[in-house]
Structures are given as C-alpha cells and as structure tokens.
Amino acid sequence: MTKFEATEENAGDVRDPRGHDRIVARATEELKRRLSEPLPPGLYLVATPIGNLGDVTLRALACLANADHVYCEDTRHSRPMLAHFGIERSLRPYHEHNAHAERPRILALIAEGRSVALISDAGTPLVSDPGYKLVREALDAGCDVKALPGASAVMCAIAVAGLPTDQFHFAGFLPPKQGQRLSRLSELGAIAGTVVLFEAPNRLPAALTDIVQALGADRPVVVARELTKRYEEVRRGTAGEVEAWARAAAVRGEVAILIGPAMHQEASEADIRAALAQIGGEKGLKEAAKIVAGRLGVARTRVYDIGLAMKSDNP
C-alpha cells in the first residue's frame, strides 16, 4: 500500500481533505444548542447581512427564530432574508414614521416578560436607522438590552479603505443642499482621523465636487460601493481623482465615502494666513475659519485667532 492509499482510519480525510463535513457538523451542533435555549425577556439588537446572506451569525439566526416578536424597518425587505434561512415569523414594522406609537407597545411587551428582536434593513441596528430612543427608554425602564454584533457597512468600509483606522468618525449622510453640505464638510475636514459617510449614488458626484472644494483636490478619498455584494467596488485616490471617476462611471448601489485626514504636516501660521487671504472678504471670518480649518486639518479656533490678528494688522 502506498502512502496515498486510504485506510479505514484516514478515509474520511481523503474524501474531505479540508474538513468541510466536520465544520458543518460543528456549526449545526452550535446552532441547535442555541435554538434549544430559551431567550430571556429583553430587547435584542440583531445585526443582519448588508448584502451577502452568508454573513449572518449563528447567534442572530437563533435569536430571530426564538424571539417572541421581531421588529424591522420594512417587512417586505426582511421577510425574504428570514425565509432564506427557514425562519417563518410574523414581522412588525418599526421605522421613523411609527416609532413614537410603537415604542410604548414594545416596552409593554418586554415588561410582560417577552423577548423582542429589532433588525434594520441591513447591517447593525441604530446606525443611520431608528432605534436610539427605543434603547434609551428601554434602559430607563430597567429592561435588559443586548446587542448581537455582525455585519456593519461602516466597519466594512473602514476595513477595506486603506485609510487610518486608529481614529475614525461616522457622520451619516451629508446634507442634500450644497451650501449646507460645504459647511458640514468644512467641519468634518478638521477632524483628526478618517471620516465615514453614507451617500445616495445620484448625489455622489456633487458630494465629491464639494469635497474637492471644501477640503482640496489632494485630500485622500475612498468610495466603497455595494460592499459584500456581487458588484462590490472600492475606488481609492485623491478627491480630484475619485470625483472624475464618479462623474464618468454612473455609480449605482449603496455607497460609502471615506475621507482621510490631511496628509501634510501641521500647517504653519503663514499657511493659514495665505489660505485666509485666498478666500478674501467674500465670506465672514467665522465661515472662512471653518473652511480653512477643514482644508488644512487644523483647529478652527486657531484659524479664527489668526484671522483676528490679520484684521488687526490691516484695520
């Protein structure tokens, strides 16, 4: 017998060299164990996949199967996801339009000893989704609140961007109007760390144009599109480069924008004076300081003080 021939002891390894059968058996055992455990009363914030159904966790499946009630943003969206895993539940909607009325009902259910699971359309609940007030009121009422971690578009984006991760700030969606958007970007530009934003695909080119205007064409920017899905795409470059791509590409799907911190060293007073002089008198000092702070990545108070000094120098 050669060393490649199977024996009774190693036949399983030859048929399944990567141990897939063992992995399936262990995962099945773990899921069965969790399904057999009763779910104590409380509010459960359950992360669900943002695109790839394979990203669901065993704990999430067991919780959604065992919870007395499951609330979601849109029943039409969440029902197919649950059905994919054989979970047939009656879903109740919880969204920004009915949250005020539904919160007391949910709290009453928990007070009666029921378990309530909350899911969003995709990803981790409460991230750009309703739920914060429900969690706060549940805690105030002494309810047990647990988070079941899992997929998150924010964390997925920050992980693949290639930008600094030691500090990052999630800022949600930018304002739809340009003036407000520019003002917001100027504020975000002064943050020490990577900024993560969500944006609608039809507004992406305009948002990137405003990033160029507010923070400069050389600011590092990443656009992550359709994360975890079939057509996932991550575009990295300067703000100017990514803007040009977005205007030519007709971007579709769910989009995240990541803005890296300013890559240059701390701006000198001369740099700040030059930037303020470039803006000139077309804006008030407060607004000019905000723009320059975002563009140079320095504290707005420092820019404002230098602007005051410039006015004193040239009364």
Side-chain angles (χ1 to χ4, degrees), residues 163-205:
L163 295 174
T165 59
D166 55 335
Q167 295 186 71
F168 62 89
H169 175 85
F170 174 61
F173 284 87
L174 288 171
K177 295 184 179 179
Q178 184 184 37
Q180 296 173 342
R181 193 162 57 227
L182 285 169
S183 179
R184 180 67 173 138
L185 284 168
S186 295
E187 295 173 352
L188 294 172
I191 291 176
T194 298
V195 174
V196 185
L197 300 161
F198 289 161
E199 189 54 277
N202 61 303
R203 291 206 303 258
L204 178 63

Side-chain angles (χ1 to χ4, degrees), residues 9-256:
E9 289 76 16
N10 67 18
D13 292 335
V14 172
R15 291 194 302 268
D16 186 20
R18 295 183 181 271
H20 291 174
D21 291 343
R22 182 178 65 254
I23 294 169
V24 170
R26 296 281 177 85
T28 301
E29 180 182 343
E30 174 68 14
L31 183 56
K32 285 182 176 180
R33 182 184 69 80
R34 291 187 174 277
L35 286 169
S36 68
E37 295 175 347
L39 204 58
L43 176 63
Y44 295 82
L45 311 172
V46 184
T48 54
I50 60 176
N52 190 320
L53 291 175
D55 292 335
V56 74
T57 69
L58 300 180
R59 190 181 175 201
L61 291 176
C63 180
L64 294 173
N66 287 345
D68 294 317
H69 303 279
V70 178
Y71 278 82
C72 62
E73 283 186 86
D74 189 335
T75 58
R76 297 167 300 179
H77 183 93
S78 295
R79 189 172 288 113
M81 185 272 294
L82 295 181
H84 177 82
F85 295 104
I87 301 174
E88 298 181 359
R89 301 301 310 275
S90 175
L91 299 175
R92 303 185 182 189
Y94 184 86
H95 46 70
E96 60 181 343
H97 302 297
N98 74 347
H100 180 73
E102 288 297 327
R103 275 197 302 274
R105 296 172 185 161
I106 295 174
L107 296 176
L109 289 170
I110 299 173
E112 293 170 2
R114 308 292 182 85
S115 55
V116 177
L118 176 69
I119 60 177
S120 65
D121 281 348
T124 302
L126 277 69
V127 181
S128 278
D129 295 320
Y132 157 67
K133 292 181 180 179
L134 173 60
V135 170
R136 184 184 63 191
E137 292 185 21
L139 292 172
D140 290 343
C143 301
D144 193 18
V145 178
K146 294 187 181 298
L148 279 64
S152 165
V154 175
M155 296 309 302
C156 189
I158 196 72
V160 302
L163 295 174
T165 59
D166 55 335
Q167 295 186 71
F168 62 89
H169 175 85
F170 174 61
F173 284 87
L174 288 171
K177 295 184 179 179
Q178 184 184 37
Q180 296 173 342
R181 193 162 57 227
L182 285 169
S183 179
R184 180 67 173 138
L185 284 168
S186 295
E187 295 173 352
L188 294 172
I191 291 176
T194 298
V195 174
V196 185
L197 300 161
F198 289 161
E199 189 54 277
N202 61 303
R203 291 206 303 258
L204 178 63
L208 291 169
T209 296
D210 289 343
I211 289 173
V212 170
Q213 181 175 338
L215 307 179
D218 293 332
R219 195 68 171 255
V221 166
V222 174
V223 170
R225 182 181 75 87
E226 293 289 87
L227 288 170
T228 78
K229 301 177 184 178
R230 180 178 181 182
Y231 297 106
E232 176 177 318
E233 181 178 15
V234 181
R235 181 68 55 161
R236 305 173 181 88
T238 65
E241 291 168 344
V242 177
E243 180 205 10
W245 161 78
R247 292 202 171 277
V251 177
R252 298 179 181 179
E254 303 292 331
V255 172

